[in-house]
Amino acid sequence: MGKLDGRVAIITGAGRGIGAEVARTFAAEGAAVVVNDLGASMDGNTDEGTPAEEVTEEILKAGGKAAANNCDITDFEATREMVGQAVETFGRLDIVVNVAGIIRDGMIFKMEESQFDAVVAVHLKGCFNTSRHASTYWRENRGGEYRLIHFISGSGIYGGPAQPNYAAAKMGIVGLSNSCASALHGYGVTSNCIAPIAYTRMTASLEGKSTVMDYSPDNEKMSTKNVVPPVVWLASEESSWMNGRIIQAGNGRIGLFNSPAIEREVTTPGIWDMDDAFAEMNTTFKEAIVYPNPFRKG
Ligand SMILES: NC(=O)c1ccc[n+]([C@@H]2O[C@H](COP(=O)([O-])OP(=O)(O)OC[C@H]3O[C@@H](n4cnc5c(N)ncnc54)[C@H](O)[C@@H]3O)[C@@H](O)[C@H]2O)c1
């Protein structure tokens, strides 16, 4: 018995890295998978190979069920057709895992408009596109245990200094996921995010450079295999009670992030006096800023 027997999933960016690992594992656990990848370079600027076909071939050879899809997830109509492909090929759709991503790093004071737009298009618009079309299908086909799983990043949560575009796109996805979690629960859909940590081409440049993590192909804990268990769990029917949350996965750890909540509050019975508001915040809020952040103090 596989943990995803009979379920059907679309996995974007499944030709390489974490997405490919998710696709292979989903298939090994009994799911039929649409392996989406357009085969892009890391900055999304150039075409690089046919990774969706390669992963699909690998799954089929291992006795699994898979179909390749090469659409660009920034294309609204093409993602509608991808949902149609899943339903026509495998008879239904239960799970969408949004993994595809690109990076075009730069400091905020030097970033070109095109760098910002391209990264937001792939991550945020891409997640919107697949979620939009899948949820329309789910609303018309009630009664399932449906799942949206979106890949986000610690760079958004903690504020990666050279990734304002990527950090903004990733936290935009958190808002999208939270809205979907509220809107779609009545249709049997949960929506959650994964903040992964793994050694892939996207993090290879951090090898020997990170002071907080050992990014290395020789570090077993950094394998993409360590990201997959909570993704399979979220995709399974066992996780129906988990909705609108972020799970960190990788480096041998699986962590549940808290949900943003008011930590400290100061109040006034009427209109704030500006000096009083300053004084209250300077004392009450300062005491609260104690959480660890790898990128900055406070
Ligand atoms: N590796 C990490 O430690 C890490 C950390 C934080 C977040 N992430 C996120 O996890 C996800 C996977 O990252 P990875 O390290 O496996 O990267 P990767 O570069 O190995 O894989 C990303 C895949 O997405 C595909 N892709 C890019 N644009 C696409 C588009 N428009 N349509 C369809 N496919 C497209 C690429 O061709 C590539 O195969 C990304 O969303 C990334 O931002 C990764």
Side-chain angles (χ1 to χ4, degrees):
M1 275 283 283
K3 296 198 178 301
L4 302 175
D5 275 345
R7 287 170 78 65
V8 177
I10 289 173
I11 302 154
T12 73
R16 290 194 195 86
I18 297 168
E21 197 71 61
V22 171
R24 284 191 290 262
T25 312
F26 272 35
E29 291 292 344
V33 290
V34 173
V35 178
N36 160 265
D37 205 301
L38 55 58
S41 58
M42 211 164 60
D43 61 8
N45 267 329
T46 47
D47 293 348
E48 277 186 2
T50 52
E53 282 73 10
E54 285 160 31
V55 171
T56 300
E57 198 58 30
E58 211 183 309
I59 291 171
L60 293 175
K61 270 193 189 142
K65 293 191 186 112
N69 176 288
N70 301 117
C71 90
D72 179 344
I73 55 155
T74 66
D75 183 331
F76 189 70
E77 284 310 318
T79 50
R80 189 201 302 275
E81 284 166 22
M82 179 163 63
V83 168
Q85 180 192 357
V87 177
E88 276 157 35
T89 313
F90 300 119
R92 53 189 291 122
L93 175 66
D94 303 287
I95 306 149
V96 171
V97 191
N98 286 311
V99 193
I102 61 168
I103 45 173
R104 293 191 190 179
D105 293 355
M107 298 303 284
I108 184 70
F109 41 81
K110 287 189 183 163
M111 184 158 282
E112 300 292 340
E113 188 181 10
S114 60
Q115 276 173 283
F116 186 86
D117 289 349
V119 167
V120 169
V122 174
H123 292 275
L124 183 53
K125 174 91 183 296
C127 283
F128 162 72
N129 284 345
T130 55
S131 304
R132 157 68 168 83
H133 299 308
S135 62
T136 304
Y137 166 79
W138 291 330
R139 187 165 172 261
E140 289 162 3
N141 293 273
R142 298 182 201 194
E145 283 277 350
Y146 301 132
R147 303 285 183 262
L148 288 171
I149 304 167
H150 318 272
F151 272 66
I152 62 146
S153 174
S155 180
I157 295 166
Y158 299 114
Q163 297 187 309
N165 48 358
Y166 180 78
K170 289 303 199 186
M171 292 313 274
I173 295 171
V174 175
L176 174 75
S177 176
N178 287 346
S179 176
C180 290
S182 304
L184 302 175
H185 201 49
Y187 303 110
V189 184
T190 64
S191 180
N192 291 283
C193 296
I194 294 277
I197 302 165
Y199 182 85
T200 65
R201 70 174 186 174
M202 207 180 260
T203 50
S205 64
L206 296 172
E207 190 172 346
K209 288 192 190 138
S210 169
T211 51
V212 278
M213 254 154 324
D214 178 18
Y215 287 96
S216 154
D218 305 324
N219 181 0
E220 192 181 53
K221 285 205 296 185
M222 280 290 187
S223 163
T224 51
K225 290 189 188 333
N226 266 348
V227 175
V228 174
V231 186
V232 175
W233 177 72
L234 282 176
S236 79
E237 298 189 12
E238 287 189 36
S239 66
S240 52
W241 47 269
M242 173 73 79
N243 194 22
R245 299 300 295 257
I246 304 172
I247 293 178
Q248 187 180 60
N251 198 22
R253 295 166 172 217
I254 302 172
L256 177 65
F257 273 100
N258 61 4
S259 289
I262 298 289
E263 264 179 40
R264 294 281 199 286
E265 198 174 40
V266 295
T267 58
T268 179
I271 303 290
W272 277 107
D273 171 82
M274 191 64 76
D275 289 332
D276 286 351
F278 268 50
E280 294 256 26
M281 289 188 285
N282 275 330
T283 51
T284 311
F285 289 3
K286 202 167 188 183
E287 292 161 12
I289 308 295
V290 290
Y291 56 86
N293 185 316
F295 296 120
R296 62 171 188 263
K297 288 192 176 128

